[in-house]
């Protein structure tokens, strides 16, 4: 496990809590629009050790309430991730996991062992279009669906979210997503932002009006669905 980034304070990444966000290296997806290219390819330099991270969190106790673990894809770290989260929890922090949902057994284990307080899972696209959007030709879609089903059991607070990218997404995606995760607690459409460090160039953002049209497809089955992080 390689810690390659740390946002020392965030009011956005962990709903309702002042938190720090930790970025782990490595990912089993190759989403062409990903803005963390260095993280997903493993080329990012290690920022700190686990011991250094825990020392930082000890100093911030009483100021921070939670820790968001993101990536890359954190669940690739397996047992190391479990140990890290257990150590963070022992300091009194809440823990949120950002995940692509491709490792449902570990996700379930972390939740059932009370190591997670919130999960944010990406819904990359409609099911028939998933492998193209996440850049994996031999995608095991069953793994994704297992994670979705588990979270929708409601045993832990969660949200689903889709980064919406012109050139990758269309109305058919959201018609399928509306059926697939209908009734879920929270779902967000997020506008694509080109960080200048995307895996593949040439993508652009939908307009606010276009996103509102996608939202109208979702709303009948997910009334609480919203657009997030779009200022235009």
């Amino acid at each position: 496990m390689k810690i390659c980034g740390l946002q020392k304070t965030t009011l956005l990444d962990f709903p309702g809590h002042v938190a720090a966000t930790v970025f782990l290296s490595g990912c089993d997806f190759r989403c062409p629009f990903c803005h963390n290219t260095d993280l997903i390819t493993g080329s990012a330099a290690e920022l700190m050790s686990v011991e250094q991270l825990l020392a930082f969190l000890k100093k911030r106790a009483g100021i921070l309430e939670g820790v968001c673990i993101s990536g890359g894809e954190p669940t690739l770290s397996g047992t190391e991730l479990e140990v890290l989260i257990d150590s963070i929890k022992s300091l009194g922090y809440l823990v949120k996991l950002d995940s692509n949902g491709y490792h449902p057994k570990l996700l379930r284990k972390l939740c059932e062992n009370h190591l997670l307080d919130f999960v944010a899972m990406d819904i990359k696209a409609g099911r028939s279009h998933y492998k193209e959007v996440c850049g994996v030709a031999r995608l095991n879609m069953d793994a994704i669906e297992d994670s979705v089903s588990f979270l929708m059991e409601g045993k832990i607070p969660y949200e689903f979210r889709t980064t919406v990218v012109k050139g990758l997404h269309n109305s058919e995606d959201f018609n399928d997503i509306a059926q697939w995760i209908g009734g879920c607690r929270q779902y967000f459409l997020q506008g694509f932002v080109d960080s200048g460090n995307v895996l593949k160039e040439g993508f652009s953002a939908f307009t606010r009006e276009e996103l509102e049209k996608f939202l109208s497809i979702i709303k009948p089955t997910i009334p609480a669905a919203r657009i997030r992080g779009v200022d235009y």
Side-chain angles (χ1 to χ4, degrees):
M1 180 172 60
K2 190 164 70 169
I3 299 171
C4 296
L6 174 65
Q7 186 174 356
K8 294 183 177 180
T9 306
T10 174
L11 300 176
L12 300 176
D13 289 348
F14 197 151
H17 299 285
V18 181
T21 299
V22 179
F23 296 92
L24 304 185
S25 178
C27 187
D28 38 12
F29 286 4
R30 290 295 181 269
C31 305
F33 59 92
C34 182
H35 63 277
N36 284 330
T37 299
D38 293 346
L39 287 177
I40 69 172
T41 60
S43 62
E46 186 170 25
L47 177 69
M48 60 175 59
S49 66
V50 170
E51 292 73 22
Q52 288 172 320
L53 171 64
L54 295 175
F56 163 78
L57 293 174
K58 286 179 182 178
K59 291 180 181 178
R60 300 286 282 178
I63 300 172
L64 299 174
E65 302 169 300
V67 177
C68 176
I69 301 179
S70 191
E73 175 49 46
T75 57
L76 277 180
S77 296
T79 301
E80 288 182 290
L81 177 64
E82 294 181 64
V83 173
L84 173 63
I85 295 174
D86 188 55
S87 297
I88 293 172
K89 296 284 284 182
S90 71
L91 297 176
Y93 286 98
L94 301 171
V95 175
K96 170 182 176 258
L97 178 71
D98 290 344
S99 180
N100 62 21
Y102 206 46
H103 301 275
K105 290 183 180 179
L106 179 58
L107 176 62
R108 183 182 293 270
K109 182 180 180 183
L110 293 172
C111 293
E112 291 179 345
N113 289 342
H114 307 290
L115 291 176
L116 297 177
D117 300 284
F118 195 95
V119 176
M121 178 179 162
D122 295 323
I123 301 294
K124 297 295 184 181
R127 287 165 286 187
S128 65
H129 190 208
Y130 221 89
K131 64 181 181 180
E132 290 84 7
V133 176
C134 67
V136 179
R138 296 184 178 180
L139 181 74
N140 176 14
M141 194 64 204
D142 288 343
I144 302 295
E145 298 205 46
D146 283 352
S147 290
V148 168
S149 296
F150 169 68
L151 290 176
M152 289 185 67
E153 290 175 10
K155 295 178 179 178
I156 184 171
Y158 70 91
E159 69 177 45
F160 296 127
R161 66 225 183 148
T162 300
T163 298
V164 191
V165 186
K166 184 170 285 190
L168 289 177
H169 295 101
N170 55 45
S171 296
E172 292 181 6
D173 288 294
F174 297 101
N175 278 309
D176 183 64
I177 290 171
Q179 297 176 29
W180 181 16
I181 63 170
C184 71
R185 289 182 175 179
Q186 295 187 88
Y187 176 60
F188 295 95
L189 298 180
Q190 302 179 158
F192 168 71
V193 177
D194 189 342
S195 67
N197 190 35
V198 293
L199 192 60
K200 183 178 179 181
E201 296 181 357
F203 295 110
S204 59
F206 285 100
T207 65
R208 177 80 190 205
E209 182 180 7
E210 289 169 324
L211 290 175
E212 292 283 359
K213 289 180 180 179
F214 292 146
L215 184 64
S216 70
I217 296 172
I218 294 291
K219 278 282 191 179
T221 59
I222 312 174
R226 289 186 289 155
I227 295 170
R228 180 166 64 188
V230 176
D231 298 324
Y232 48 84

